[in-house]
Amino acid sequence: MTPFEDFSFFIYLLIPIVPAVLLGILGVSGKVRAAWVLLSTLGMLLLIGRPLSVLYQIAGYLLFQWIIVRLYLSYRLSALGKNRAGVFYLVTFLAILPLVVVKINPSFIALGFWQTVIGFIGISYLTFRTAGIIIEIRDGLIKEVRLVDFISFVLFFPTIASGPIDRYRRFVTDLYKPLTRQDYGELAIQGMDYIFRGFLYKFIIAYLINKYWLEPLNHTFGFLPTLKYMYVYGFYLFFNFAGYSAFAIGVSYLMGIKTPINFDKPFMSKNIKDFWNRWHISLSFWFRDYIYMRFVLDSAKKKRFKNRYTASYVGYLFLFGIMGVWHGTQLQYVLYGLYHAGLMIGFDFLDRKNKTWKYWGTGPIWDLSAILVTFHFVMFGFLIFSGRLV
């Protein structure tokens, strides 16, 4: 059963949520709440992990990742644990290997043994969480990883399928943070607000868009139908995914975990950089922090490029190229990544030149114009992403 896809799932959600609310009202310690998060996560996996083969996949994957994390942490804390790049790259490669296999050749997992080992729902987001732990171990930010906390973090049931992507240290801090009745009450009210927003977005707005506009356009072609499809698909994508994210955040809040938000009025963005600070925030920030920034800093350290802007632009191509391939190896995803890399490079260039050439100014009219221009560029990107053009 896929989380938040049908109403029956919300009936099952009462099993972990009702006791969590009672514990919050009683003001129990963080350790008790952490224990219930772990039990709830394991219990919900029995539901989400049907059929049994999926549970085998998740258990095998978790064991594999736990061994990698423990071995690397032991190595870094040992007398031999120098910050060797080769060891770090090897460990990171092993951690993302199952995801790479799935993304490069999805049909591979349909063959026999591999179907029970890799290719279950949510593998991308689980991999990002594990890779984040490994990176922060290398940075010296994580000195201890307990198995129970690792399980709760990686498999946290509200976010297992499609995020948002949390960070280990932030998650564990929330997991054991003492909450008074008042603190929990405020968190629970916000959680219910997110859940109601999720119903509005996913089961009402996205449903109506899909039924009355998107589905009919799937069978009509030509310039005008494609133009309509571009906007309809973009809005459907937002409300469907934002609805799912709202559910995940709301349930997390009720469990006492303040999962980071994923969307912040993305269609009000004034430029493409602003858009990626508002759209799928947990993913875009993960890629920015762990891929783009590290590539740029490493390039500066090794003097890989003469011009720092060149390093930044190559970093954008690297970043969005990976992001595109992460969605899939089909042509539309590769083009989508390169398209956004081009937008980021183009905006950065014009933004720097604008200080001298004054292409645009400031004020409400300019802001509105910037929002409209950005909106149309973003929507065309969604049209590429949809695959309709290719």
Side-chain angles (χ1 to χ4, degrees):
M1 179 180 290
T2 304
F4 312 116
E5 282 298 317
D6 55 58
F7 289 102
S8 62
F9 181 80
F10 292 89
I11 302 300
Y12 290 105
L13 268 181
L14 294 176
I15 299 173
I17 285 179
V18 171
V21 172
L22 292 175
L23 292 175
I25 293 174
L26 293 174
V28 299
S29 67
K31 290 184 178 180
V32 174
R33 195 177 66 253
W36 182 245
V37 168
L38 175 63
L39 290 174
S40 299
T41 293
L42 295 175
M44 290 300 291
L45 281 178
L46 296 176
L47 172 67
I48 299 171
R50 295 177 182 175
L52 192 60
S53 61
V54 178
L55 287 176
Y56 293 153
Q57 297 171 39
I58 296 174
Y61 175 85
L62 185 70
L63 177 61
F64 177 71
Q65 298 289 12
W66 169 247
I67 291 173
I68 292 173
V69 168
R70 282 306 309 172
L71 288 176
Y72 186 59
L73 181 61
S74 299
Y75 165 76
R76 291 288 290 129
L77 295 177
S78 69
L80 300 175
K82 295 182 180 180
N83 198 0
R84 300 181 186 274
V87 175
F88 168 72
Y89 292 140
L90 174 61
V91 171
T92 304
F93 171 77
L94 291 174
I96 66 174
L97 181 59
L99 176 61
V100 171
V101 172
V102 171
K103 292 298 182 181
I104 291 179
N105 190 359
S107 62
F108 186 59
I109 63 172
L111 303 176
F113 171 74
W114 291 105
Q115 189 177 16
T116 63
V117 179
I118 56 177
F120 54 87
I121 188 171
I123 186 173
S124 293
Y125 295 92
L126 271 59
T127 301
F128 287 141
R129 291 170 194 146
T130 305
I133 292 176
I134 292 171
I135 292 170
E136 294 198 343
I137 288 175
R138 186 202 189 192
D139 293 344
L141 299 174
I142 295 178
K143 304 291 186 181
E144 179 185 12
V145 181
R146 299 170 63 234
L147 178 59
V148 290
D149 298 336
F150 181 79
I151 294 173
S152 295
F153 171 67
V154 174
L155 300 182
F156 188 47
F157 74 89
T159 63
I160 188 173
S162 296
I165 305 169
D166 210 341
R167 308 291 176 95
Y168 179 78
R169 289 179 298 144
R170 200 218 64 78
F171 179 89
V172 172
T173 299
D174 269 10
L175 195 62
Y176 292 99
K177 181 181 179 180
L179 291 176
T180 64
R181 295 180 182 179
Q182 182 178 354
D183 292 336
Y184 180 79
E186 294 174 356
L187 199 61
I189 291 173
Q190 294 178 51
M192 291 303 301
D193 179 69
Y194 274 112
I195 290 173
F196 285 125
R197 191 183 309 176
F199 277 110
L200 173 64
Y201 283 5
K202 185 174 180 63
F203 291 119
I204 298 178
I205 299 179
Y207 170 79
L208 293 175
I209 290 175
N210 184 58
K211 182 175 181 179
Y212 293 105
W213 288 286
L214 192 60
E215 280 294 331
L217 287 170
N218 282 329
H219 307 289
T220 56
F221 299 94
F223 177 75
L224 287 179
T226 299
L227 186 63
K228 294 177 183 178
Y229 183 91
M230 180 176 77
Y231 296 106
V232 171
Y233 178 80
F235 281 116
Y236 170 76
L237 197 65
F238 167 72
F239 283 109
N240 186 62
F241 194 15
Y244 173 90
S245 296
F247 283 136
I249 294 169
V251 174
S252 298
Y253 278 27
L254 292 177
M255 299 298 296
I257 304 295
K258 200 167 184 178
T259 293
I261 64 172
N262 237 1
F263 296 92
D264 181 21
K265 303 181 182 68
F267 297 138
M268 296 298 292
S269 305
K270 297 178 182 179
N271 56 65
I272 198 63
K273 286 186 178 180
D274 188 26
F275 172 77
W276 281 108
N277 287 331
R278 294 167 175 264
W279 176 271
H280 207 340
I281 298 171
S282 64
L283 177 69
S284 61
F285 280 25
W286 195 98
F287 274 96
R288 181 199 66 185
D289 295 343
Y290 292 144
I291 296 180
Y292 172 78
M293 291 301 300
R294 290 169 186 273
F295 174 83
V296 172
L297 291 174
D298 186 64
S299 295
K301 180 180 179 181
K302 297 179 179 177
K303 298 181 179 179
R304 194 173 285 132
F305 306 99
K306 293 182 179 180
N307 190 310
R308 63 188 179 95
Y309 297 117
T310 303
S312 177
Y313 297 161
V314 174
Y316 283 135
L317 288 169
F318 185 49
L319 165 66
F320 285 99
I322 293 177
M323 188 180 291
V325 173
W326 169 73
H327 285 98
T329 55
Q330 294 89 336
L331 181 59
Q332 69 260 32
Y333 300 131
V334 176
L335 292 176
Y336 176 76
L338 295 177
Y339 172 76
H340 272 281
L343 290 182
M344 292 290 281
I345 293 170
F347 172 74
D348 185 80
F349 176 80
L350 291 176
D351 190 45
R352 287 189 292 108
K353 294 299 182 182
N354 185 58
K355 296 175 182 178
T356 303
W357 297 349
K358 302 299 181 183
Y359 289 118
W360 57 81
T362 59
I365 301 300
W366 285 106
D367 289 345
L368 179 59
S369 300
I371 290 172
L372 290 174
V373 170
T374 303
F375 172 77
H376 287 89
F377 274 111
V378 166
M379 283 296 177
F380 185 72
F382 289 146
L383 181 62
I384 297 173
F385 183 85
S386 72
R388 182 160 174 137
L389 294 181
V390 296

